[in-house]
Every structure is written in C-alpha cells, then in structure tokens.
Amino acid sequence: MKKPASTNSSDKILAAATRIAQAHGYGGLNLRVLAEEVGIKAASLYHHFPSKADLAAAVAKRYWEDSAAVLDGLAGETQDPVACLRKYPQTFRISLENNNRMCLSSFMAAEYDDLPEHVQREVARFADVNVAWLERILLAAGIAPPAETPARARAIYAAVVGAQLMARGRADIALFDTLIATYQASGLLPA
Amino acid sequence: MKKPASTNSSDKILAAATRIAQAHGYGGLNLRVLAEEVGIKAASLYHHFPSKADLAAAVAKRYWEDSAAVLDGLAGETQDPVACLRKYPQTFRISLENNNRMCLSSFMAAEYDDLPEHVQREVARFADVNVAWLERILLAAGIAPPAETPARARAIYAAVVGAQLMARGRADIALFDTLIATYQASGLLPA
DNA sequence: ACCTGAACACCGTTCAAGT
DNA sequence: ACCTGAACACCGTTCAAGT
C-alpha cells in the first residue's frame, strides 16, 4: 500500500520539479524557485537529492514510469488496438492543455548536450517505453507487416512528438489536433 | 555587393551564437563563452547588440532567412517537385551531421515560455517559411488535393522536426534516416 | 566606434550550524 | 532526520573608464 504521492517532501519536490521542467527544461529548472514552490529553502533540496542532476534523473525516471502506467491503462480499457492508436496522441495533448507544457523527454532531448549521462539514460527510456507500447498495439492491430512494425512505431512516436513541439511553438492546441488528423489522413496513423 | 559574412564582428557574433544556440538553446547561450569564441569580452557584446534577447532575435531572423535561401536554391536546382520533397529532410539532417546539433527554431520552440516576445516571433517565422515552401512544392507535385495542402505541409514539417528531435536524443543519425524512410513508406512523404 | 574591468543581483552548490 | 544562512564561483547586465 503506497501512501499518496503528496505525503512526503521528496514526492512533492519531484512533482513540482516535473511541472517546472516540462515548461522550462533542465537548464530552466531553478532550484530556488522549486524550493519556494515546495515551501523550503534551496539548500534543503540537497537533503532529498544529492544534486540537481540526480533530482532530474529521478524526475525523468518517474516520468517514464508514469507514462508506462498510463499507456498500460489505455491498452487495458480499450481492447480494440486501432481505437488505442487513435487515442494515443491524446497522451501528448494533455501536456499542451496544461499551460502549453510539453513532454519532459522531448524538452530534454533538445537539451541533450547539457544533460548528465544518467539523465540522458532516463530520458531515452521514455521514448523506449512509448515505442515498445506502439509496437505491441501495431502488431495486435495488424496495421503493418511485422517486419516493419518497429520502424512504424518509431515514426509514429517521432511524428507525434514533432506535432507537440510545433503546436507549443505557436501555443496552439488546435494545430496539434490538425496535425494528428493529417497523420491519420495520410496513413501514418490509422484513421 | 555584400562583404563575406565573417568580415565584421557582428557577423562573427551571429555565426558563433547560432552554433551555440543550436546545441544549447537560448538559455544555454552563455555570453561569456560566446564572447571568448569571438575573441572579445562579454561586456563588448553589448556594443553590437543591446541585450541577449536582441542578439537571439537577430540570430533567429538570420536563421530563417538562410533557410529560405537554401529552400529556394533547392527548388531552383531540382525542378521535379517530387524530387524536391525527397530532398527536403536533408536540410534537417545537416544539423545532426554537425555535431548532433538541431534546428534552432525547434530548440527555441521548446523554450517558448522563456523567450522574449520578439524572439518568439522570429522563431515562428522559420516554421512559416518551411511550411510555405512545402505548400508550394506539394501543389506543384499535385500530391494532395489543393484544399488539403496547407495541412499536409504542416504535417510534413512537424514530422521531420520530430524525427530530428528523436534522433538527437539518441545521437543517432541512422535513426533519422529510418524515420524519414518510414514517413515515405507510410505515404506522409512521397516515396 | 569599440573594448574593458569591476560591480550588481542572480544561479548551483557547499557547509557549518541549528532543531 | 531535516532545515537554514552565509558563502563560493558563475550567470546576464551595467557603467565608468579607457583607446
């Protein structure tokens, strides 16, 4: 039985850090601002995480774990794999709905050069989780020949990520929806 | 008759700042590092640009101007519009070839929340230029019904941008090539 | 016209000191 | 066990002072 995430300080720090990083990235994650949001001083953060790098790694790890849970939930409640694929882009739409935020891993993929190595690893895991899920659903849907499924899964992930990035750059959720609809019309995603 | 770009200091600053921003973004553009690369002190940068924000706006402006020139050159030398569309992703591949760098406008689209307003405007122009070019070529190629051309142009741009971001996050150019090939196989881009 | 050193308030981080 | 103020070297920026 896990306690609710907001019970202890480390969880509050992770939650607040995630929100900040989705809007400002790793470089833009200001520890004094984060600390204030949690109600402590910046120096106190170091009692919970040994460094900003380790905090970011923990944030990125929890981020892909949560994503995996959401995707499994989606697959569980939506048995039809084609319907699953239609709903998949929604998981990226939610970030945009949340104050024009974006996927943490996309932001950090851009910041690749400035990320500590173990943060890079956790960031890559998010893409891995998404691609693996897409492969599984694509196979179940029988959309592409099995040999082409891995490539197709990666293409869908990249395209959805790109749609989110372009829509964020315009602060325009409707653009995201149009892009996804066009992916569907063009055959990249099932209509 | 314009002098070569490297002749005066402002141009050297713009060129160096562009390279840095393509790797580290707006937030990661360190003025002391930039100044050293140009061979002056950070304080001297303010004689050429009134602020980091104005420097970044100038960088982003030149960036989309250069992109427009490259795309016009491509359309000029490659008369067949379908062949043009096949070569288009190459313009994004070049950044990855250059030390795993990425499109300046993609990076800054991620940093949207932290950009001064006039930088946001110049960043958006890059996407505008690319989308307008794609619309023109798509129409010439007769690939999609004219009514669907604007949406298709945006979808291609977003997908290519996403492919670059995903490949950068893995420092893997081969992944970029696979993604583009899959876009072509799925019908988003002409094969 | 262009450059500079020194200073400002702000970053991540450390540490001695508190409860 | 957890928090803090003060300090460190580093950021963007300013400015008086140099050529």
Side-chain angles (χ1 to χ4, degrees), chain A residues 19-43:
Chain A
R19 262 181 285 116
I20 295 173
Q22 281 187 268
H24 306 286
Y26 177 76
L29 176 58
N30 181 321
L31 297 193
R32 281 178 174 88
V33 170
L34 169 61
E36 190 170 21
E37 217 157 286
V38 179
I40 56 177
K41 299 292 168 182

Side-chain angles (χ1 to χ4, degrees), chain B:
Chain B
M1 224 23 176
K2 266 174 88 174
K3 288 198 233 164
S6 57
T7 300
N8 74 69
S9 286
S10 293
D11 281 321
K12 271 168 71 179
I13 292 168
L14 285 178
T18 303
R19 261 181 285 116
I20 295 174
Q22 281 187 268
H24 306 286
Y26 177 77
L29 176 58
N30 181 320
L31 298 193
R32 282 178 175 88
V33 170
L34 169 61
E36 189 171 21
E37 218 158 284
V38 179
I40 57 178
K41 298 294 169 182
S44 306
L45 292 171
Y46 287 80
H47 200 274
H48 300 273
F49 301 93
S51 68
K52 178 175 174 176
D54 289 297
L55 166 60
V59 165
K61 183 180 193 306
R62 174 169 292 195
Y63 194 75
W64 69 253
E65 288 171 347
D66 288 351
S67 173
V70 166
L71 292 176
D72 283 348
L74 176 56
E77 80 193 15
T78 307
Q79 294 295 333
D80 175 20
V82 171
C84 256
L85 290 171
R86 267 195 226 103
K87 288 183 185 169
Y88 174 71
Q90 173 72 24
T91 64
F92 284 80
R93 192 184 199 276
I94 291 169
S95 306
L96 293 173
E97 292 166 5
N98 188 12
N99 264 315
N100 198 35
R101 281 184 171 74
M102 67 180 287
C103 169
L104 183 84
S105 294
S106 292
F107 207 138
M108 291 193 175
E111 293 177 296
Y112 183 81
D113 288 356
D114 298 317
L115 295 181
E117 209 181 307
H118 57 299
V119 180
Q120 286 177 352
R121 258 200 310 279
E122 300 299 340
V123 167
R125 281 281 273 161
F126 178 88
D128 290 339
V129 162
N130 275 258
V131 167
W133 184 88
L134 284 166
E135 286 183 14
R136 182 158 67 86
I137 307 296
L138 282 168
L139 277 174
I143 290 223
E148 294 168 19
T149 298
R152 176 64 75 99
R154 279 160 182 74
I156 292 173
Y157 175 76
V160 173
V161 156
Q164 189 192 50
L165 183 59
M166 187 181 183
R168 169 165 161 87
R170 293 240 128 84
D172 182 356
I173 291 199
L175 174 56
F176 179 78
D177 295 334
T178 304
L179 290 168
I180 300 302
T182 310
Y183 292 154
Q184 289 163 342
S186 73
L188 179 64
L189 277 167

Side-chain angles (χ1 to χ4, degrees), chain A residues 6-78:
Chain A
S6 56
T7 300
N8 74 69
S9 286
S10 294
D11 282 321
K12 271 167 71 180
I13 293 168
L14 284 178
T18 303
R19 262 181 285 116
I20 295 173
Q22 281 187 268
H24 306 286
Y26 177 76
L29 176 58
N30 181 321
L31 297 193
R32 281 178 174 88
V33 170
L34 169 61
E36 190 170 21
E37 217 157 286
V38 179
I40 56 177
K41 299 292 168 182
S44 306
L45 292 171
Y46 287 80
H47 199 274
H48 300 272
F49 301 94
S51 68
K52 177 174 175 177
D54 289 297
L55 166 60
V59 165
K61 183 179 193 306
R62 174 168 293 196
Y63 194 74
W64 69 253
E65 287 171 348
D66 288 350
S67 174
V70 166
L71 291 176
D72 282 348
L74 177 56
E77 79 192 17
T78 308

